[in-house]
Amino acid sequence: MPLDEFPRTKSMEFTTSSGLRGGPRPRNRLARAVLAAPDQQKYLKDLTFYSEPPGDTIPLVDLENWALQRLEPLIYILETVLRLVERVGLTSLHSLSEWRNTLINEIRQNKLIPSFYVLLSSHSGTAEEDLYEARRKDYISHFILRAAYSTSEDRRRWFIQQECDFFRARFMQLTPQQIDSFLQEQGLHYVKLNDAEKNVMIQYILGDDKNAEKKKMLDLYKVPWLDALELVRGRRVFLQAGMAYITTQEFTSIVTQKFREFLEREVQHMSLSMGRILEDDERMQKLLQNFEKYYLGPDYSSRGDTSDRITLDMIGTVSKESYPLCMRHMHEEVTTNHHLKHFGRLHYGLFLKGIGLTLEEQITFWRGEFTKKLDPDKWDKQHRYGIRHMYGKEGHMKELSPYSCIKIITSSVGAGDKHGCPFKHWDPRNLATKLKSIGITDAGVSEIQGFAVGGHYQIACGKVFAFTHKGAEVGINHPNQYFEESRAIITGKLGKKSLSQEASGSDSASNVAAKVGGEEMNDTALWDGELEPMDIEDSNHITGFASAWA
Ligand code: SF4
């Protein structure tokens, strides 16, 4: 539910971005703080390390929208990286201008988010105030996501990786002059060689470099070799007496590494402060705790077109043909052992809803399986409510959406649980056995295991798709997308929500916000009907991030 749709009480009269209109003082410490004007100094540059938290007064609804808008390029970057990793391998990826060009061009062409597009453009013709607003949004949205994704190791890792890739792509398009001033602004005081030193070193540095003539025009710096590990590893730098000699253009990997180290420390620090922030402010609690569930992409909450939906009598067959490993495993568990724990029921039940099963069919399915071991009356009392809840027939009466890969990959999985992503959560030997059982060759198994061990779970899943669908290459980001891509190939029809549609960024931010606001709130414990939406009765502004997050 978007924050502006939360039930409001009469005391809630603080509604404008320009400040308080009146009404009783908010009860909590954050909202009692003095309203602060934007700190313009923070928003003078297109790219920074985001060192200081913003101190502005910001409407909650803006916080939510801006953070959602930032998620869209981050997810997009992830998809672009995944596609390129498959083609060129991870180690050569970071030096690829192809990567930068693909990314920047796709963001530009699709104009995913106007404000980010402005920051990736040359700015010509852009009004100063639009540029300022774009930078402010960029800065503030980074901090919101930093807070939202700081709450577990997996989420921190995901956020840091996407932010570093986003940073890298943006840094790669800075001019040498901009890089120079960036280094100064961030306090990275590397020594620039004077002309005499440069003339001596240039012959060693350039060697048989194809771009030697161009590079001669660039400034040369010497940096401690430990700061240039990525270049050293790739044997792409000249070393002498513990110093690496690099051109301005080669600062990308060094500065991105610095940004990563800085961000890792800051996100860790943020995670320690989160308890206090959430305790202090219920509105922030709602906002931040639900970002981690957000997924940008097609809405798979129901199949829509009933003519080709999957019906209950088909799931035995399609589970073998078209399920991703995570869902196939849960299907086998429930049909073999007639039981699945809470989160397994939720993950698989939402997937089934997404592929087209009606409420009645789901009740028939779960009841039929569980009552092979459980008393039917008990099942009715314990489980019927949860299934109705998924379809918006109980509780807050809103339909829930199936979980994305990110959500499943970052779920906690305990002993006896059958949910989770097999590429992340399974022991490699179990994974190998399963892969062989579905007909994947030994060579295929070891390739897939390599991706899984390296943490590239979705690529591993895409490889399984390719091996089981005649080599078709698909980037996987949602179990229901996997299913639809598979059905499209098997039935010979173009999937309604194919990868190409996703890659074109066809879901607008507003659609995403509407979807996210709709059904993803409070969904983890809904199977058993444990949670109800809570009222928020307070200001819809947040003031003083700096003091809260210090
Ligand atoms: Fe399921 Fe996604 Fe993992 Fe594939 S990558 S098994 S679809 S969670």
Side-chain angles (χ1 to χ4, degrees):
M1 177 188 291
L3 286 160
D4 56 354
E5 285 178 29
F6 275 121
R8 294 176 180 179
T9 68
K10 284 181 184 162
S11 67
M12 191 169 157
E13 295 177 27
F14 312 123
T15 53
T16 69
S17 58
S18 55
L20 298 180
R21 280 183 184 156
R25 284 159 70 94
R27 290 169 305 170
N28 61 53
R29 184 172 65 78
L30 279 177
R32 276 202 304 272
V34 177
L35 288 174
D39 180 353
Q40 303 200 351
Q41 290 303 314
K42 289 195 176 93
Y43 313 129
L44 294 179
K45 301 288 172 187
D46 286 358
L47 190 60
T48 75
F49 271 9
Y50 309 97
S51 324
E52 295 287 325
D56 316 12
T57 297
I58 306 154
L60 273 170
V61 71
D62 282 353
L63 286 187
E64 185 183 34
N65 286 336
W66 294 353
L68 280 171
Q69 288 175 7
R70 188 182 194 82
L71 270 178
E72 197 161 353
L74 292 190
I75 301 271
Y76 204 72
I77 285 167
L78 176 66
E79 289 175 356
T80 314
V81 170
L82 291 179
R83 286 201 297 275
L84 283 167
V85 164
E86 284 192 73
R87 274 179 38 209
V88 302
L90 195 63
T91 41
S92 49
L93 176 69
H94 288 157
S95 60
L96 271 185
S97 55
E98 182 192 357
W99 176 75
R100 189 270 315 262
N101 294 339
T102 306
L103 189 60
I104 301 287
N105 285 341
E106 289 191 8
I107 288 179
R108 280 178 180 164
Q109 275 166 17
N110 293 311
K111 298 199 173 171
L112 277 179
I113 299 297
S115 50
F116 290 105
Y117 169 71
V118 165
L119 295 181
L120 293 166
S121 70
S122 62
H123 304 166
S124 61
T126 308
E128 256 319 297
E129 59 191 89
D130 291 342
L131 199 51
Y132 171 81
E133 266 315 301
R135 289 168 175 160
R136 183 164 173 256
K137 272 186 194 178
D138 171 55
Y139 204 97
I140 291 169
S141 62
H142 167 89
F143 272 92
I144 289 295
L145 293 187
R146 188 192 284 189
Y149 283 83
S150 69
T151 53
S152 78
E153 185 52 40
D154 281 332
R155 289 169 199 134
R156 284 193 287 274
R157 213 169 52 165
W158 185 88
F159 171 73
I160 290 167
Q161 185 58 51
Q162 296 350 298
E163 282 287 332
C164 285
D165 283 340
F166 196 24
F167 178 93
R168 182 188 292 272
R170 292 164 70 183
F171 190 88
M172 282 170 89
Q173 58 165 10
L174 297 184
T175 62
Q177 291 71 27
Q178 288 170 323
I179 291 175
D180 230 2
S181 36
F182 182 90
L183 296 175
Q184 299 300 324
E185 286 150 20
Q186 301 306 322
L188 298 171
H189 300 299
Y190 293 119
V191 180
K192 191 194 286 189
L193 270 57
N194 61 34
D195 284 349
E197 291 170 315
K198 183 176 159 184
N199 287 339
V200 173
M201 299 306 296
I202 200 94
Q203 52 186 311
Y204 302 112
I205 293 163
L206 296 182
D208 55 0
D209 192 324
K210 280 184 278 178
N211 297 316
E213 285 312 309
K214 266 195 216 158
K215 286 193 173 177
K216 274 184 196 163
M217 312 293 291
L218 300 171
D219 288 327
L220 270 187
Y221 288 80
K222 57 179 176 181
V223 305
W225 74 277
L226 282 173
D227 284 1
L229 279 181
E230 193 177 304
L231 296 172
V232 174
R233 250 196 312 268
R235 296 173 186 274
R236 290 187 281 125
V237 67
F238 176 74
L239 294 173
Q240 190 182 62
M243 302 302 278
Y245 289 80
I246 62 168
T247 61
T248 325
Q249 284 180 329
E250 287 159 335
F251 264 114
T252 304
S253 72
I254 293 174
V255 176
T256 306
Q257 181 57 29
K258 288 278 174 206
F259 178 60
R260 177 185 292 278
E261 288 164 11
F262 172 79
L263 197 52
E264 280 170 354
R265 279 196 308 276
E266 291 298 308
V267 173
Q268 193 65 39
H269 177 70
M270 172 70 77
S271 72
L272 301 176
S273 314
M274 282 305 287
R276 181 166 54 82
I277 293 170
L278 299 179
E279 202 178 294
D280 268 1
D281 198 302
E282 193 179 25
R283 301 160 306 159
M284 288 297 282
Q285 191 179 24
K286 284 283 180 197
L287 180 69
L288 298 183
Q289 284 184 342
N290 283 287
F291 265 112
E292 66 198 37
K293 299 172 191 164
Y294 292 173
Y295 163 73
L296 305 185
D299 182 356
Y300 292 102
S301 54
S302 67
R303 198 160 168 84
D305 181 358
T306 51
S307 66
D308 64 347
R309 76 175 181 85
I310 301 299
T311 51
L312 181 56
D313 56 320
M314 297 162 74
I315 64 172
T317 307
V318 296
S319 68
K320 292 188 181 68
E321 291 175 347
S322 298
Y323 275 22
L325 225 48
C326 52
M327 298 301 155
R328 185 167 175 159
H329 179 56
M330 287 188 284
H331 180 79
E332 287 168 359
E333 181 64 23
V334 75
T335 52
T336 308
N337 294 323
H338 315 297
H339 182 71
L340 210 51
K341 289 171 86 173
H342 169 83
F343 285 108
R345 299 194 302 267
L346 188 62
H347 286 209
Y348 186 41
L350 289 173
F351 172 82
L352 288 176
K353 174 171 170 287
I355 67 172
L357 259 63
T358 62
L359 170 60
E360 293 69 32
E361 285 173 323
Q362 285 239 34
I363 289 176
T364 306
F365 170 68
W366 291 101
R367 197 172 192 274
E369 293 298 338
F370 271 53
T371 54
K372 288 179 179 146
K373 283 187 170 174
L374 186 73
D375 178 70
D377 286 344
K378 249 186 172 174
W379 188 90
D380 285 339
K381 276 193 203 119
Q382 290 177 359
H383 299 297
R384 186 180 289 271
Y385 181 93
I387 296 172
R388 289 176 52 77
H389 214 145
M390 288 193 308
Y391 284 80
K393 304 293 180 198
E394 301 285 356
H396 64 33
M397 312 296 275
K398 290 203 167 168
E399 286 195 55
L400 302 183
S401 290
Y403 289 157
S404 67
C405 291
I406 290 169
K407 169 74 182 160
I408 294 170
I409 287 167
T410 56
S411 304
S412 12
V413 175
D417 282 333
K418 303 297 173 191
H419 67 279
C421 175
F423 305 103
K424 168 160 187 208
H425 295 113
W426 288 13
D427 174 275
R429 272 171 308 183
N430 290 348
L431 179 62
T433 309
K434 184 69 195 176
L435 293 173
K436 282 178 192 164
S437 79
I438 61 173
I440 295 181
T441 60
D442 287 351
V445 169
S446 68
E447 188 186 359
I448 291 164
Q449 275 184 315
F451 282 118
V453 169
H456 306 296
Y457 313 120
Q458 288 158 267
I459 297 177
C461 191
K463 286 284 165 197
V464 173
F465 188 97
F467 279 116
T468 51
H469 293 82
K470 299 179 184 157
E473 289 196 5
V474 170
I476 302 299
N477 51 37
H478 200 296
N480 290 75
Q481 172 229 346
Y482 183 115
F483 181 82
E484 294 208 358
E485 298 283 357
S486 169
R487 294 321 294 164
I489 290 172
I490 289 168
T491 61
K493 290 182 194 167
L494 187 65
K496 281 172 61 187
K497 293 164 181 167
S498 68
L499 179 73
S500 53
Q501 183 185 344
E502 247 177 83
S504 72
S506 57
D507 263 23
S508 70
S510 54
N511 287 343
V512 168
K515 179 186 73 170
V516 165
E519 63 266 18
E520 298 245 339
M521 298 285 286
N522 299 330
D523 53 358
T524 53
L526 285 175
W527 182 285
D528 299 323
E530 291 160 7
L531 296 178
E532 287 293 326
M534 295 170 68
D535 284 356
I536 296 291
E537 45 171 316
D538 218 330
S539 162
N540 59 352
H541 286 75
I542 284 291
T543 302
F545 281 83
S547 62
W549 293 355

mmCIF file of all heavy atoms in Angstrom, residues 189-208:
data_model
loop_
_atom_site.group_PDB
_atom_site.id
_atom_site.type_symbol
_atom_site.label_atom_id
_atom_site.label_comp_id
_atom_site.label_asym_id
_atom_site.label_seq_id
_atom_site.Cartn_x
_atom_site.Cartn_y
_atom_site.Cartn_z
ATOM 1 N N HIS A 189 43.710 11.929 -3.088
ATOM 2 C CA HIS A 189 44.825 12.759 -3.541
ATOM 3 C C HIS A 189 45.923 11.904 -4.168
ATOM 4 O O HIS A 189 46.944 11.636 -3.552
ATOM 5 C CB HIS A 189 45.361 13.582 -2.379
ATOM 6 C CG HIS A 189 44.318 14.484 -1.800
ATOM 7 N ND1 HIS A 189 43.707 15.482 -2.534
ATOM 8 C CD2 HIS A 189 43.737 14.507 -0.575
ATOM 9 C CE1 HIS A 189 42.823 16.099 -1.781
ATOM 10 N NE2 HIS A 189 42.807 15.517 -0.587
ATOM 11 N N TYR A 190 45.686 11.454 -5.369
ATOM 12 C CA TYR A 190 46.706 10.698 -6.078
ATOM 13 C C TYR A 190 47.650 11.678 -6.779
ATOM 14 O O TYR A 190 47.242 12.756 -7.214
ATOM 15 C CB TYR A 190 46.045 9.752 -7.092
ATOM 16 C CG TYR A 190 45.241 8.656 -6.431
ATOM 17 C CD1 TYR A 190 43.880 8.538 -6.653
ATOM 18 C CD2 TYR A 190 45.839 7.750 -5.565
ATOM 19 C CE1 TYR A 190 43.140 7.534 -6.039
ATOM 20 C CE2 TYR A 190 45.116 6.756 -4.946
ATOM 21 C CZ TYR A 190 43.764 6.657 -5.187
ATOM 22 O OH TYR A 190 43.036 5.669 -4.568
ATOM 23 N N VAL A 191 48.902 11.219 -6.919
ATOM 24 C CA VAL A 191 49.920 12.143 -7.455
ATOM 25 C C VAL A 191 49.883 12.143 -8.984
ATOM 26 O O VAL A 191 50.015 11.097 -9.625
ATOM 27 C CB VAL A 191 51.321 11.703 -6.977
ATOM 28 C CG1 VAL A 191 52.391 12.648 -7.534
ATOM 29 C CG2 VAL A 191 51.346 11.654 -5.465
ATOM 30 N N LYS A 192 49.706 13.353 -9.522
ATOM 31 C CA LYS A 192 49.727 13.479 -10.986
ATOM 32 C C LYS A 192 51.170 13.734 -11.415
ATOM 33 O O LYS A 192 51.863 14.554 -10.797
ATOM 34 C CB LYS A 192 48.836 14.644 -11.404
ATOM 35 C CG LYS A 192 48.571 14.691 -12.896
ATOM 36 C CD LYS A 192 47.976 15.993 -13.356
ATOM 37 C CE LYS A 192 46.530 16.158 -12.987
ATOM 38 N NZ LYS A 192 45.920 17.343 -13.629
ATOM 39 N N LEU A 193 51.639 13.034 -12.452
ATOM 40 C CA LEU A 193 53.025 13.210 -12.899
ATOM 41 C C LEU A 193 53.176 14.525 -13.649
ATOM 42 O O LEU A 193 52.276 14.911 -14.424
ATOM 43 C CB LEU A 193 53.426 12.053 -13.825
ATOM 44 C CG LEU A 193 54.039 10.819 -13.163
ATOM 45 C CD1 LEU A 193 53.131 10.226 -12.108
ATOM 46 C CD2 LEU A 193 54.379 9.769 -14.202
ATOM 47 N N ASN A 194 54.300 15.203 -13.410
ATOM 48 C CA ASN A 194 54.534 16.413 -14.209
ATOM 49 C C ASN A 194 55.036 16.000 -15.601
ATOM 50 O O ASN A 194 55.296 14.808 -15.847
ATOM 51 C CB ASN A 194 55.497 17.374 -13.496
ATOM 52 C CG ASN A 194 56.850 16.722 -13.277
ATOM 53 O OD1 ASN A 194 57.310 15.922 -14.096
ATOM 54 N ND2 ASN A 194 57.491 17.059 -12.162
ATOM 55 N N ASP A 195 55.202 16.975 -16.473
ATOM 56 C CA ASP A 195 55.519 16.641 -17.872
ATOM 57 C C ASP A 195 56.821 15.842 -18.000
ATOM 58 O O ASP A 195 56.902 14.894 -18.784
ATOM 59 C CB ASP A 195 55.611 17.921 -18.720
ATOM 60 C CG ASP A 195 54.217 18.453 -19.007
ATOM 61 O OD1 ASP A 195 53.246 17.716 -18.734
ATOM 62 O OD2 ASP A 195 54.104 19.601 -19.470
ATOM 63 N N ALA A 196 57.842 16.232 -17.216
ATOM 64 C CA ALA A 196 59.135 15.542 -17.317
ATOM 65 C C ALA A 196 58.985 14.078 -16.884
ATOM 66 O O ALA A 196 59.453 13.162 -17.582
ATOM 67 C CB ALA A 196 60.159 16.259 -16.436
ATOM 68 N N GLU A 197 58.315 13.854 -15.764
ATOM 69 C CA GLU A 197 58.107 12.472 -15.279
ATOM 70 C C GLU A 197 57.281 11.681 -16.288
ATOM 71 O O GLU A 197 57.543 10.508 -16.559
ATOM 72 C CB GLU A 197 57.386 12.483 -13.932
ATOM 73 C CG GLU A 197 58.219 13.037 -12.790
ATOM 74 C CD GLU A 197 57.374 13.253 -11.540
ATOM 75 O OE1 GLU A 197 56.250 13.807 -11.665
ATOM 76 O OE2 GLU A 197 57.823 12.881 -10.447
ATOM 77 N N LYS A 198 56.277 12.355 -16.814
ATOM 78 C CA LYS A 198 55.390 11.678 -17.765
ATOM 79 C C LYS A 198 56.167 11.202 -18.994
ATOM 80 O O LYS A 198 55.988 10.077 -19.466
ATOM 81 C CB LYS A 198 54.272 12.641 -18.178
ATOM 82 C CG LYS A 198 53.238 12.050 -19.097
ATOM 83 C CD LYS A 198 52.134 13.040 -19.371
ATOM 84 C CE LYS A 198 51.392 12.673 -20.632
ATOM 85 N NZ LYS A 198 50.372 13.647 -20.998
ATOM 86 N N ASN A 199 57.051 12.065 -19.505
ATOM 87 C CA ASN A 199 57.817 11.696 -20.693
ATOM 88 C C ASN A 199 58.702 10.479 -20.452
ATOM 89 O O ASN A 199 58.913 9.663 -21.344
ATOM 90 C CB ASN A 199 58.680 12.888 -21.151
ATOM 91 C CG ASN A 199 57.802 13.946 -21.781
ATOM 92 O OD1 ASN A 199 56.688 13.641 -22.218
ATOM 93 N ND2 ASN A 199 58.268 15.190 -21.791
ATOM 94 N N VAL A 200 59.197 10.352 -19.199
ATOM 95 C CA VAL A 200 60.048 9.204 -18.886
ATOM 96 C C VAL A 200 59.202 7.927 -18.818
ATOM 97 O O VAL A 200 59.575 6.885 -19.362
ATOM 98 C CB VAL A 200 60.780 9.438 -17.534
ATOM 99 C CG1 VAL A 200 61.536 8.174 -17.112
ATOM 100 C CG2 VAL A 200 61.710 10.620 -17.638
ATOM 101 N N MET A 201 58.075 8.025 -18.154
ATOM 102 C CA MET A 201 57.277 6.819 -17.877
ATOM 103 C C MET A 201 56.448 6.347 -19.068
ATOM 104 O O MET A 201 56.107 5.177 -19.165
ATOM 105 C CB MET A 201 56.318 7.070 -16.696
ATOM 106 C CG MET A 201 57.007 7.419 -15.385
ATOM 107 S SD MET A 201 58.251 6.219 -14.895
ATOM 108 C CE MET A 201 57.274 4.767 -14.648
ATOM 109 N N ILE A 202 56.098 7.273 -19.951
ATOM 110 C CA ILE A 202 55.088 6.955 -20.968
ATOM 111 C C ILE A 202 55.484 5.763 -21.833
ATOM 112 O O ILE A 202 54.651 4.935 -22.210
ATOM 113 C CB ILE A 202 54.782 8.203 -21.836
ATOM 114 C CG1 ILE A 202 53.428 8.045 -22.541
ATOM 115 C CG2 ILE A 202 55.850 8.477 -22.865
ATOM 116 C CD1 ILE A 202 52.337 8.659 -21.785
ATOM 117 N N GLN A 203 56.785 5.644 -22.135
ATOM 118 C CA GLN A 203 57.221 4.540 -23.010
ATOM 119 C C GLN A 203 56.941 3.177 -22.368
ATOM 120 O O GLN A 203 56.581 2.220 -23.038
ATOM 121 C CB GLN A 203 58.710 4.680 -23.310
ATOM 122 C CG GLN A 203 59.519 4.826 -22.051
ATOM 123 C CD GLN A 203 60.979 5.109 -22.329
ATOM 124 O OE1 GLN A 203 61.591 4.413 -23.124
ATOM 125 N NE2 GLN A 203 61.529 6.124 -21.676
ATOM 126 N N TYR A 204 57.120 3.102 -21.015
ATOM 127 C CA TYR A 204 56.852 1.831 -20.329
ATOM 128 C C TYR A 204 55.357 1.546 -20.264
ATOM 129 O O TYR A 204 54.904 0.419 -20.338
ATOM 130 C CB TYR A 204 57.393 1.872 -18.898
ATOM 131 C CG TYR A 204 58.871 2.148 -18.816
ATOM 132 C CD1 TYR A 204 59.337 3.340 -18.285
ATOM 133 C CD2 TYR A 204 59.793 1.202 -19.282
ATOM 134 C CE1 TYR A 204 60.688 3.603 -18.216
ATOM 135 C CE2 TYR A 204 61.147 1.458 -19.214
ATOM 136 C CZ TYR A 204 61.597 2.661 -18.683
ATOM 137 O OH TYR A 204 62.933 2.914 -18.624
ATOM 138 N N ILE A 205 54.627 2.617 -20.060
ATOM 139 C CA ILE A 205 53.191 2.447 -19.800
ATOM 140 C C ILE A 205 52.427 2.082 -21.065
ATOM 141 O O ILE A 205 51.556 1.217 -21.053
ATOM 142 C CB ILE A 205 52.631 3.740 -19.183
ATOM 143 C CG1 ILE A 205 53.255 3.912 -17.806
ATOM 144 C CG2 ILE A 205 51.116 3.706 -19.081
ATOM 145 C CD1 ILE A 205 53.134 5.297 -17.265
ATOM 146 N N LEU A 206 52.789 2.733 -22.141
ATOM 147 C CA LEU A 206 52.002 2.510 -23.352
ATOM 148 C C LEU A 206 52.379 1.217 -24.066
ATOM 149 O O LEU A 206 51.512 0.517 -24.561
ATOM 150 C CB LEU A 206 52.127 3.700 -24.298
ATOM 151 C CG LEU A 206 51.543 5.010 -23.727
ATOM 152 C CD1 LEU A 206 51.664 6.120 -24.759
ATOM 153 C CD2 LEU A 206 50.087 4.832 -23.341
ATOM 154 N N GLY A 207 53.653 0.888 -24.097
ATOM 155 C CA GLY A 207 54.080 -0.343 -24.772
ATOM 156 C C GLY A 207 53.510 -0.399 -26.169
ATOM 157 O O GLY A 207 53.601 0.565 -26.939
ATOM 158 N N ASP A 208 52.851 -1.536 -26.514
ATOM 159 C CA ASP A 208 52.258 -1.636 -27.847
ATOM 160 C C ASP A 208 50.756 -1.373 -27.807
ATOM 161 O O ASP A 208 49.979 -1.919 -28.581
ATOM 162 C CB ASP A 208 52.569 -3.004 -28.476
ATOM 163 C CG ASP A 208 52.120 -4.141 -27.568
ATOM 164 O OD1 ASP A 208 51.581 -3.835 -26.476
ATOM 165 O OD2 ASP A 208 52.315 -5.308 -27.954
#
